[in-house]
């Protein structure tokens, strides 16, 4: 199993944060900080990356 990079972990955190903000604001569509659209598949991938990082002991420090 490959360990996610710090960049991948930062991306995953950003996607999860964008989803949480969209849910709080009751928006259906969401974008990340760079303005890219985020779909449910991105959220699922982000969760898998963060799970893999947690399993491998990688830090989830924000950059």
């Amino acid at each position: 199993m490959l360990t996610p990079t710090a960049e991948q972990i930062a991306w995953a955190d950003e996607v999860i944060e964008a989803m949480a903000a969209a849910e709080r604001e009751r928006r259906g569509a969401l974008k990340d900080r760079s303005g890219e659209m985020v779909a449910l598949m991105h959220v699922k991938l982000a969760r898998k990356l963060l799970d893999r990082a947690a399993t491998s002991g990688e830090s989830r420090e924000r950059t």
Side-chain angles (χ1 to χ4, degrees):
M1 170 170 44
L2 296 174
T3 302
T5 65
E7 270 185 359
Q8 290 171 320
I9 293 169
W11 171 84
D13 280 335
E14 184 177 333
V15 168
I16 297 299
E17 287 176 24
M19 178 59 126
E23 288 175 347
R24 280 191 306 274
E25 298 166 9
R26 298 179 186 241
R27 290 184 287 126
L30 58 139
K31 295 181 181 182
D32 63 15
R33 288 183 215 154
S34 65
E36 296 292 319
M37 292 297 295
V38 176
L40 184 57
M41 69 175 203
H42 298 112
V43 175
K44 289 180 180 180
L45 177 59
R47 287 183 180 139
K48 286 182 182 181
L49 278 169
L50 293 176
D51 287 346
R52 192 176 331 147
T55 300
S56 68
E58 278 298 306
S59 172
R60 286 180 57 186
E61 293 179 15
R62 299 191 196 276
T63 56

